[in-house]
Amino acid sequence: IFLFSFSFLFSDGYCGLRFTLQEGLCQIIKYEGVANLWRGLTPTLLMTVPGVTMYFTLYEQIQKYYDLPLLSGAFARTITVLTTSPLEMLRTYLQSKRNVQGVREVTTSLIQKRGILGLWSGMGPTLMRDVPFSAIYWGVLERFRTQFRSQNNNDMNFSTTFLAGALAGTAASIAVTPADVVKTRLQSNIDFVGADGVETTKVPTSLEITRSLWKTEGFTGFFRGVGARVFRVAPACALMISSYELCKFEMQKYIIRAK
């Protein structure tokens, strides 16, 4: 959870400001305390627990029948994003603002300004980020799994699964960082300041965000926070896949013993 909050600070800045990793971390601890590194915890938990469960279950079932990791990962992520997008919106907004109120108040404010469909704001760039990410992640992961199994007599222990997950997560996170930056810019502000510097309450499109980003920050702006993103995604992917495989292995042993 901490890594989710930490990486967010550098993909769009903190309260409209731009920091390095060390500067951003120090600013939050200095002015708001360590506890605020876990800001947005509630929607993150509500999104992550059912989202990860749905995601891994869908991937396993699709992969079982078709054995196409890229397509299986992409389809599983598409369904998950469509389901959890409102919670992703709330999490991003809560983590981008200082002195914001609770989840209920933020939800009410968003609906009043953007309508009920506003809770799905940023779903387009979220799909552009997560679907390719999942395709790349599972494609690279399954390749590493095959290679590691061939070198270890078809055995994949916790450490090798962890390493494969970290490597796959690193490759995928770097590749989709531009889409993540656009998504974060779109979701982190109810009001939008365009490339012309004029603030408006009109909901911006992904294209408008992209143009504004290109005009104000150039190519490098699309990779803002890539280091923090890899710092969060690589260990998160490694922990999730290795923990999932470990739990699945233990459950399978339990079922066999029960029979």
Side-chain angles (χ1 to χ4, degrees):
I1 299 301
F2 162 72
L3 292 175
F4 264 107
S5 302
F6 183 65
S7 67
F8 168 81
L9 304 174
F10 310 97
S11 60
D12 187 42
Y14 171 58
C15 300
L17 303 175
R18 302 286 183 260
F19 298 111
T20 64
L21 286 169
Q22 184 177 357
E23 289 171 344
L25 188 60
C26 291
Q27 286 289 323
I28 292 180
I29 294 175
K30 179 178 179 180
Y31 292 106
E32 300 190 43
V34 176
N36 271 280
L37 292 172
W38 281 264
R39 185 168 49 200
L41 175 64
T42 299
T44 299
L45 286 174
L46 290 174
M47 175 187 70
T48 302
V49 175
V52 171
T53 303
M54 179 188 302
Y55 176 48
F56 276 89
T57 302
L58 284 171
Y59 175 80
E60 287 272 314
Q61 294 304 310
I62 299 170
Q63 182 67 2
K64 183 189 300 183
Y65 290 102
Y66 297 103
D67 193 24
L68 297 170
L70 273 73
L71 294 179
S72 298
F75 182 78
R77 178 55 71 183
T78 299
I79 301 301
T80 304
V81 167
L82 293 174
T83 305
T84 62
S85 188
L87 293 170
E88 169 78 3
M89 173 69 182
L90 293 174
R91 178 184 70 84
T92 302
Y93 186 77
L94 283 168
Q95 291 179 343
S96 70
K97 300 297 181 181
R98 185 185 293 175
N99 300 323
V100 294
Q101 296 177 309
V103 175
R104 181 181 300 178
E105 290 78 9
V106 171
T107 304
T108 302
S109 176
L110 286 169
I111 292 175
Q112 288 175 346
K113 292 192 175 186
R114 295 189 176 185
I116 189 67
L117 293 180
L119 294 175
W120 276 266
S121 294
M123 187 176 69
T126 301
L127 287 169
M128 289 172 60
R129 177 197 67 179
D130 287 0
V131 174
F133 176 93
S134 294
I136 296 169
Y137 172 75
W138 288 108
V140 174
L141 179 69
E142 296 296 353
R143 186 174 183 85
F144 276 122
R145 277 176 161 176
T146 301
Q147 184 175 349
F148 288 155
R149 285 192 180 110
S150 65
Q151 296 174 351
N152 294 279
N153 298 320
N154 206 35
D155 180 44
M156 280 288 288
N157 55 34
F158 185 90
S159 60
T160 52
T161 303
F162 187 94
L163 177 60
L167 292 172
T170 298
S173 62
I174 293 173
V176 302
T177 293
D180 184 52
V181 173
V182 172
K183 178 204 75 76
T184 303
R185 296 289 174 94
L186 184 59
Q187 292 183 330
S188 62
N189 291 293
I190 294 178
D191 297 320
F192 170 63
V193 178
D196 57 1
V198 178
E199 185 175 297
T200 176
T201 56
K202 172 182 173 291
V203 180
T205 64
S206 300
L207 182 58
E208 288 172 334
I209 293 286
T210 303
R211 286 174 175 171
S212 176
L213 184 61
W214 177 263
K215 184 173 182 179
T216 56
E217 299 184 45
F219 177 79
T220 56
F222 290 96
F223 287 88
R224 181 173 295 280
V226 64
R229 179 168 171 77
V230 171
F231 177 80
R232 186 261 295 184
V233 172
C237 287
L239 284 170
M240 281 195 294
I241 189 62
S242 53
S243 299
Y244 175 77
E245 291 294 340
L246 179 63
C247 290
K248 185 173 71 172
F249 177 72
E250 293 298 329
M251 289 184 67
Q252 288 173 341
K253 287 202 305 183
Y254 174 79
I255 293 173
I256 292 174
R257 287 198 303 267
K259 290 181 178 180

